[in-house]
């Protein structure tokens, strides 16, 4: 009986572990790239603003006392304590050894002079390096020439960018996707044969020898222009399509993934070195999260790559629970983490929510403090990612100049291990802001030991920090200011169109379809249209001016088409509809003809009848 009890207990324990891993996998699968929260920019901004105002915990917190046992999130109040107290706190907080910013360049590469200005700013804020995800902005040549956009950087541009990074003391880590997210190559007919799924260019087939041949050439060209780098990020995240083609169908998915990663990593390590040591491949962690340590050990993954664990939401442990950290630490001696400063909370956002990004980065400091000791050699550093598109086919999300304040706030935070008013001078100096003697000093007080609503950045009332930074002079500030005007303009257009075509009863779709309305009412409804329309046209001109020094004409045109042009077209269509409605001088009697298309919905339509003119019936008295 005792033996049976022990067996039952052991079985229950095994079942519990399996359930926990399954739950962790489920959470991971619910978290697509960049933790997309909203799909509409205006609604996203409104929704986030409401959420930020209603949160009971106030979001980012101040640690009341430097003697407090709470170290991170380290938003430390410095009132009346002086530099020595701040130094005492700084000695206790966690600062990642490497603090890199990630720049996603696909399909919209900033001008080289602008990148140089951003690098100089990063140096001021304490960054140690940059991760450059070139994708189709890289000047591929020879057999890969078709991968580069027609407006990609030249090889001279790449050397110029890398030289600027060197001059600013920034280590460069190039990123090349080598498994999933290879749409920029697989979309071409030339490489369609190495797709995992014939109709989709998302991932390549790991069992096709031509795939590895292609990857080698791509890596070789990137590394040729990046001599002397210590790391090469080989991507390998979100391989959504795997084990589906005839070659792969009979192999376990985990073996397909691990075998491919191991082949790519061995190629990099065997061919490229830095000061006598192999170049270290880095991979995103998400495809490893559900794998058993034994499987990873079988492919010697701990000796081949270093994982970069990415979570862009505020609750890091929700997506990478403790059990996953324990597993990774048992396989890998070192690891990296990745937060975000833009491109994480909605595919069509045009301004980053700095409050949420700061909470994410502060949470990462806490997690790294707790989980770092589990790894034999600790964490290598943190990369603050800045996505420009969610994948190759997606529209632009937040452009870099709109996200400079977010990059500055978050880089300053991870550089110091905390954020508080003592860092205000560094922040405002870096961003070229005018100093205000009293701003941010009214911190208030609380007996609870935690301040929740007194942060000098005013994140609860303005999570995008439009008000704080609109008078600064950082690179791209004119476009940062323009996003505030865009936000207001889009809200005005949305409200106006809703009022005219939905809330009022004379220009609805029904009125337009039947050309039946009151001309007097049309005049009333259209009074505001010229003003709203011309404000949008002016905004488009201003956007062109604000972005001229940042992007080329292709990117500017794309952004205007995605963000402003649709509302201009809606307002123009409204004017056309109004003109057509007003052109009518006589109107038919009721009932108006039923819409024939309703028949396919199963609606009974009235029999055809002769419809007379509106003058057939005298006006009722």
């Amino acid at each position: 009986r005792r033996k049976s009890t022990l067996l039952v207990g052991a079985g229950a324990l095994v079942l519990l572990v399996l359930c926990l891993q399954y739950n962790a996998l489920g959470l991971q699968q619910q978290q697509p790239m960049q933790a997309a929260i909203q799909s509409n920019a205006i609604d996203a901004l409104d929704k986030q603003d409401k959420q930020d105002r209603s949160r009971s915990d106030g979001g980012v917190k101040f640690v009341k006392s430097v003697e407090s046992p709470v170290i991170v999130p380290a938003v430390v109040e410095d009132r009346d304590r002086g530099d020595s107290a701040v130094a005492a706190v700084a000695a206790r907080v966690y600062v990642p050894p490497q603090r890199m910013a990630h720049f996603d360049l696909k399909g919209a590469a900033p001008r080289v002079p602008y990148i140089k200005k951003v690098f100089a700013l990063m140096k001021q804020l304490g960054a140690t390096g940059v991760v450059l995800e070139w994708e189709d902005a890289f000047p591929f040549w020879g057999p890969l020439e078709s991968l580069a956009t027609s407006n990609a950087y030249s090889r001279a541009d790449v050397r110029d960018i890398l030289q600027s990074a060197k001059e600013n003391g920034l280590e460069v880590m190039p990123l090349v996707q080598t498994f999933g997210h290879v749409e920029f190559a697989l979309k071409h007919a030339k490489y369609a044969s190495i797709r995992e799924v014939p109709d989709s260019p998302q991932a390549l087939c790991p069992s096709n020898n031509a795939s590895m041949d292609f990857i080698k050439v791509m890596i070789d060209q990137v590394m040729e222009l990046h001599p002397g780098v210590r790391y090469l990020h080989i991507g390998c995240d979100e391989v959504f399509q795997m084990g589906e083609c005839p070659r792969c169908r009979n192999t376990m998915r985990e073996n397909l993934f691990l075998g491919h990663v191991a082949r790519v990593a061995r190629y990099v390590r065997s061919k490229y070195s830095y000061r006598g040591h192999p170049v270290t491949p880095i991979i995103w962690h998400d495809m490893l999260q559900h794998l058993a340590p034994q499987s990873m050990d079988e492919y010697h993954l701990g000796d081949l790559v270093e994982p970069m664990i990415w979570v862009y939401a505020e609750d890091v442990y929700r997506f990478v629970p403790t059990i996953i950290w324990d597993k990774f630490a048992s396989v890998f001696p070192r690891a990296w983490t990745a937060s975000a400063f833009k491109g994480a909370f909605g595919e069509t956002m045009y301004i980053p929510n700095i409050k949420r990004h700061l909470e994410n980065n502060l949470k990462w400091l806490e997690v790294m403090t707790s989980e770092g000791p589990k790894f034999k050699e600790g964490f290598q550093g943190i990369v603050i990612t800045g996505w420009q598109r969610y994948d190759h086919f997606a529209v632009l999300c937040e452009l870099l100049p709109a996200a400079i304040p977010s990059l500055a706030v978050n880089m300053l935070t991870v550089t110091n291990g905390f954020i508080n008013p003592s860092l205000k001078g560094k922040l405002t100096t870096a961003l070229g802001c005018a100093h205000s003697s009293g701003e941010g000093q009214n911190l208030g007080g609380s007996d609870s030991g935690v301040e929740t609503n007194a942060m000098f950045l005013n994140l609860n009332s303005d999570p995008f920090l439009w008000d704080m930074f609109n008078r600064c002079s950082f690179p791209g500030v004119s476009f940062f200011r323009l996003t505030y005007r865009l936000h207001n303009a889009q809200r005005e257009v949305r409200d106006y169109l809703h009022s005219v075509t939905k809330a009022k009863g004379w220009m609805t779709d029904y009125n337009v379809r039947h050309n039946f309305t009151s001309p007097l009412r049309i005049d009333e409804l259209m009074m505001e249209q010229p003003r709203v329309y011309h404000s949008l046209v002016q905004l488009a001109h201003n956007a062109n001016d604000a972005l001229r020094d940042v992007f080329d004409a292709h990117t500017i045109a794309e952004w205007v088409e995605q963000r402003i042009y649709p509302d201009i077209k809606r307002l123009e269509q409204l004017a056309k509809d109004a003109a057509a409605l007003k052109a009518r001088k006589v109107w038919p009697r009721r009932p108006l003809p039923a819409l024939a298309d309703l028949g396919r919905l199963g609606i009974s339509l009235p029999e055809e009848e002769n419809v007379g003119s509106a003058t057939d019936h005298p006006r009722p008295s």
Side-chain angles (χ1 to χ4, degrees):
R1 185 180 301 172
R2 192 173 299 167
K3 184 176 180 181
S4 299
T5 303
L6 290 173
L7 288 173
V8 170
L13 181 61
V14 171
L15 182 61
L16 176 62
V17 171
L18 290 174
C19 289
L20 286 172
Q21 288 191 332
Y22 179 82
N23 182 57
L25 172 60
L27 288 172
Q28 170 65 22
Q29 291 174 339
Q30 294 170 19
Q31 177 74 358
M33 192 62 165
Q34 289 84 30
I37 306 299
Q38 300 93 0
S39 62
N40 179 273
I42 307 178
D43 292 340
L45 292 174
D46 293 342
K47 185 175 181 180
Q48 288 180 3
D49 187 54
K50 291 176 182 177
Q51 290 174 343
D52 293 333
R53 291 175 184 273
S54 63
R55 280 189 185 177
S56 60
D57 66 356
V60 182
K61 296 180 175 63
F62 282 79
V63 177
K64 175 75 171 180
S65 169
V66 294
E67 289 78 29
S68 168
V70 180
I71 297 179
V72 285
V75 186
V76 187
E77 179 183 342
D78 69 341
R79 180 176 44 184
D80 301 326
R81 289 190 172 89
D83 293 339
S84 61
V86 174
V89 174
R92 300 169 55 208
V93 299
Y94 177 81
V95 176
Q98 286 268 34
R99 302 169 301 280
M100 293 184 160
H102 160 269
F103 295 108
D104 175 18
L105 305 173
K106 52 178 165 280
R111 295 185 184 276
V112 174
Y114 184 77
I115 290 180
K116 290 181 176 181
K117 293 177 182 178
V118 175
F119 284 0
L121 173 63
M122 290 174 56
K123 178 183 179 180
Q124 285 184 268
L125 296 166
T128 64
V130 291
V131 177
L132 298 178
E133 184 163 357
W134 300 96
E135 213 215 48
D136 57 4
F138 188 79
F140 292 105
W141 64 88
L144 303 185
E145 184 177 2
S146 62
L147 272 58
T149 62
S150 60
N151 60 337
Y153 293 117
S154 67
R155 281 185 258 188
D157 288 335
V158 172
R159 295 188 186 99
D160 203 8
I161 290 170
L162 299 184
Q163 179 61 30
S164 177
K166 182 179 180 180
E167 291 171 357
N168 286 284
L170 301 174
E171 181 172 3
V172 173
M173 179 192 298
L175 191 156
V176 182
Q177 288 286 3
T178 59
F179 205 163
H181 285 304
V182 198
E183 298 98 336
F184 73 102
L186 300 184
K187 69 179 183 180
H188 297 288
K190 181 178 180 180
Y191 299 105
S193 62
I194 60 174
R195 297 173 185 172
E196 176 67 14
V197 176
D199 295 335
S200 173
Q202 201 273 334
L204 52 76
C205 171
S207 302
N208 189 332
N209 292 334
S211 295
M212 195 63 199
D213 295 337
F214 161 73
I215 290 171
K216 288 178 180 179
V217 176
M218 187 165 56
I219 288 175
D220 289 345
Q221 291 194 6
V222 170
M223 292 297 284
E224 181 176 332
L225 294 190
H226 292 78
V229 296
R230 290 196 294 167
Y231 303 98
L232 174 66
H233 201 310
I234 59 174
C236 298
D237 61 312
E238 296 184 322
V239 187
F240 297 131
Q241 296 170 319
M242 187 166 54
E244 299 185 36
C245 76
R247 287 187 178 93
C248 298
R249 204 167 290 158
N250 296 324
T251 305
M252 291 180 60
R253 285 170 56 91
E254 67 177 46
N255 290 336
L256 287 170
F257 180 80
L258 291 171
H260 181 76
V261 170
R263 282 192 297 275
V264 175
R266 285 195 178 95
Y267 178 75
V268 172
R269 296 178 68 89
S270 65
K271 186 165 184 178
Y272 298 100
S273 62
Y274 173 79
R275 294 183 179 178
H277 298 281
V279 167
T280 301
I282 310 293
I283 66 169
W284 298 114
H285 87 285
D286 52 290
M287 297 299 295
L288 303 175
Q289 185 149 332
H290 65 286
L291 301 183
Q294 295 81 359
S295 299
M296 291 185 274
D297 287 339
E298 183 180 344
Y299 285 86
H300 305 286
L301 217 61
D303 300 323
L304 295 175
V305 302
E306 294 177 2
M308 185 173 286
I309 297 95
W310 60 270
V311 175
Y312 308 145
E314 295 87 336
D315 188 357
V316 174
Y317 278 119
R318 178 189 172 199
F319 299 103
V320 185
T322 301
I323 190 173
I324 301 299
W325 289 109
D326 295 340
K327 178 172 67 175
F328 284 161
S330 72
V331 175
F332 302 100
R334 297 169 299 278
W336 297 72
T337 64
S339 59
F341 72 92
K342 77 182 185 82
F345 298 125
E347 298 94 329
T348 60
M349 295 285 286
Y350 51 79
I351 183 76
N353 186 315
I354 301 177
K355 182 176 187 289
R356 296 195 65 191
H357 287 299
L358 180 56
E359 289 174 344
N360 169 241
N361 279 278
L362 285 169
K363 188 63 179 180
W364 264 120
L365 293 178
E366 179 182 348
V367 171
M368 294 176 80
T369 301
S370 300
E371 305 299 336
K374 295 180 180 179
F375 294 84
K376 293 177 183 177
E377 299 179 35
F379 284 115
Q380 296 284 72
I382 187 169
V383 172
I384 310 177
T385 61
W387 300 98
Q388 191 155 259
R389 304 177 192 271
Y390 274 42
D391 66 27
H392 181 80
F393 292 107
V395 297
L396 293 163
C397 50
E398 304 101 308
L399 295 181
L400 182 56
I404 292 297
S406 180
L407 173 60
V409 168
N410 287 289
M411 185 59 73
L412 191 66
T413 298
V414 300
T415 293
N416 291 274
F418 64 90
I419 184 74
N420 79 353
S422 71
L423 301 178
K424 180 188 173 185
K426 292 181 180 179
L427 180 62
T428 56
T429 298
L431 294 180
C433 308
H435 291 272
S436 175
S437 58
E439 185 181 350
Q441 299 305 311
N442 182 21
L443 297 177
S446 172
D447 296 330
S448 66
V450 176
E451 296 291 338
T452 61
N453 198 29
M455 190 171 180
F456 77 104
L457 295 173
N458 299 319
L459 288 165
N460 288 331
S461 60
D462 182 12
F464 313 104
L465 295 182
W466 273 316
D467 184 59
M468 181 173 183
F469 294 124
N470 69 356
R471 291 176 292 276
C472 301
S473 58
F474 56 85
V477 67
S478 58
F479 182 73
F480 174 77
R481 295 190 195 110
L482 186 134
T483 61
Y484 179 69
R485 291 175 54 201
L486 175 63
H487 174 61
N488 290 333
Q490 288 188 333
R491 186 194 299 271
E492 183 177 42
V493 170
R494 179 189 63 187
D495 292 346
Y496 174 67
L497 290 176
H498 181 269
S499 174
V500 171
T501 65
K502 303 291 183 183
K504 304 295 184 181
W506 293 277
M507 278 196 73
T508 67
D509 290 344
Y510 181 88
N511 297 110
V512 173
R513 273 195 301 270
H514 293 276
N515 199 12
F516 190 82
T517 194
S518 163
L520 177 65
R521 296 293 189 176
I522 295 298
D523 288 338
E524 293 175 356
L525 294 175
M526 292 298 292
M527 286 181 64
E528 287 295 301
Q529 193 273 352
R531 181 189 63 79
V532 177
Y533 175 77
H534 288 297
S535 69
L536 275 182
V537 172
Q538 185 61 48
L539 191 64
H541 289 303
N542 294 152
N544 185 67
D545 294 338
L547 290 172
R548 187 179 291 119
D549 293 334
V550 182
F551 295 105
D552 67 8
H554 294 284
T555 301
I556 297 172
E558 180 185 358
W559 188 86
V560 171
E561 181 180 351
Q562 292 169 5
R563 296 288 176 263
I564 302 176
Y565 180 73
D567 282 337
I568 289 177
K569 291 297 291 182
R570 292 184 187 102
L571 291 171
E572 289 176 344
Q573 185 60 49
L574 188 72
K576 290 179 181 177
D577 292 342
L581 288 167
K582 286 195 64 180
R584 190 166 200 171
K585 304 305 179 185
V586 294
W587 295 265
R589 63 179 177 178
R590 293 187 186 277
L592 300 180
L595 184 65
D597 194 41
L598 296 178
R600 67 184 178 85
L601 304 179
I603 307 299
S604 298
L605 300 179
E607 296 180 3
E608 280 191 34
E609 55 185 52
N610 293 325
V611 180
S613 68
T615 56
D616 289 345
H617 295 280
R619 181 178 177 182
S621 58

